[in-house]
Amino acid sequence: MLPGSDGGTEKVTLWLMKGSASDEFIQKFTDSYEQEHPDVDLEVRTQEWTGIGDKVNAVLKGTAPERADVIEVGNTQVAQYVETGGLDELTLEGLRDWGSKDWLQGLADPGSINGAQFGVPWYAANRVVIYHKELFADAGIKTAPKTRQEWLAATQKLDKGKQQGIYLPGQNWYVLAGFIWDEGGELAVEGGGVWTGTLDTEQALAGMDFYKQLHALGDGPDNADEETPPQSEVFSRGQVAQIIAPPGQVAQIEALNPALKGKLGFFPIPGKTADKPGAVLTGGSDLIIPENTRNRRAAVDVITALVSERWQTELARTMSYVPNKTTLAHVVQGNDGATAMTSGAAQGRATPKSPRWAEVEAKNPIKPYMTAVLTGQDPRQAAKTASEAIGKILSSDR
């Protein structure tokens, strides 16, 4: 029983981001939760991503006209909100019940700051290889490549005439990050309170070199990212064998070219060896509790329900997401895109755990670095310039 101040029903407010869960899922979850907790009135409010940072910070500071007891945030945003202040620490309770030992690393790590857990992983999404089955068959490729070298060899076969082996824009730094991690490199590291960009290490340079080899097996632009033009539009024309994207882009591709329906497949981004897929940048969401909530125990109960096997399974199957735990990978069997994504998620990573990383993405010195390398400039010098810019942003005072 969780009585409110008037001895009646207690209101608990949950903020979810637009597009994270379907209306059907939200209604089913709300009805079920209220039935199991008759003294709780659960209100779910959908929020827009645009401008959400200011709204969340206002809630955390207690200056917002509206309140929230549980908030969905991007997994890489947790550090920024911890720095702002006002997040409840969740380290000492719930972690065992929430299955923390099996959490995906790329979701769990950003939610843990200095050994304290502030964000509870909810769901993940990451990139896979989307491929044109007929073009693969025409090239005599019967099985999906599992290593980088197999991938390069297959892509070279596919790159002929007007057909592109792969469409890989020159500034897709999300994909580059995975190649760097596979080599044992990092985007940036922290030591003694000072951040240093590390694109100029041997490992990071090796990751960029592989990116350059793969990029050369198609006609992707040197100086644009995956949205300029949208790679789903390029792929929909039917002359591209592969793109690297979240599986959800298939719906956009098929809408643009219905003739491709049923002709597209998925496989995890290959790794350096066949024993595991390549590393990927894990996107997704964590759940946080404001320190000033008046309903902390109820807020914890809501999170416990959302990350339970029942509702993780429902969410993953409804939205084609990766569940928050490696032990739930089986729940997306039968969904080829989600299955490929789940396999890759086991090698998921997150961006550097700095509250200023968002500023790096906004100014993004990684993109011009990539273009410099792809257009023949000295990789080491370009990497050094980009690394210095990253370090300056991360270590500067606001």
Side-chain angles (χ1 to χ4, degrees), residues 205-325:
L205 288 166
M208 183 64 221
D209 182 66
F210 178 74
Y211 191 102
K212 184 176 182 179
Q213 292 179 59
L214 194 61
H215 173 268
L217 298 174
D219 295 325
D222 296 331
N223 59 350
D225 61 21
E226 66 277 15
E227 293 301 325
T228 314
Q231 62 179 357
S232 55
E233 291 183 8
V234 178
F235 193 62
S236 71
R237 297 168 195 160
Q239 293 300 311
V240 171
Q242 308 168 84
I243 57 172
I244 303 171
Q249 283 201 10
V250 164
Q252 302 169 31
I253 294 164
E254 291 177 346
L256 290 166
N257 185 357
L260 289 177
K261 192 171 182 63
K263 297 180 179 179
L264 306 181
F266 314 86
F267 58 85
I269 295 173
K272 292 189 71 174
T273 58
D275 59 318
K276 61 183 180 181
V280 290
L281 177 65
T282 302
S285 288
D286 281 16
L287 300 168
I288 62 172
I289 297 177
E291 202 171 36
N292 58 19
T293 177
R294 297 192 295 270
N295 307 307
R296 188 181 189 282
R297 189 167 59 158
V300 169
D301 285 345
V302 169
I303 290 180
T304 300
L306 284 169
V307 302
S308 68
E309 181 170 352
R310 175 188 176 186
W311 291 107
Q312 280 288 293
T313 300
E314 182 79 20
L315 185 68
R317 291 178 176 172
T318 301
M319 304 300 294
S320 294
Y321 287 149
V322 177
N324 71 346
K325 292 186 280 289

Side-chain angles (χ1 to χ4, degrees), residues 17-49:
M17 300 309 301
K18 184 177 181 179
S20 288
S22 65
D23 292 341
E24 180 184 6
F25 174 90
I26 292 172
Q27 191 62 56
K28 286 176 67 175
F29 177 78
T30 302
D31 291 346
S32 175
Y33 188 85
E34 289 182 339
Q35 184 176 2
E36 294 173 5
H37 301 79
D39 293 310
V40 174
D41 174 17
L42 179 62
E43 180 183 28
V44 180
R45 296 183 184 174
T46 301
Q47 305 291 332
E48 298 283 347
W49 282 107

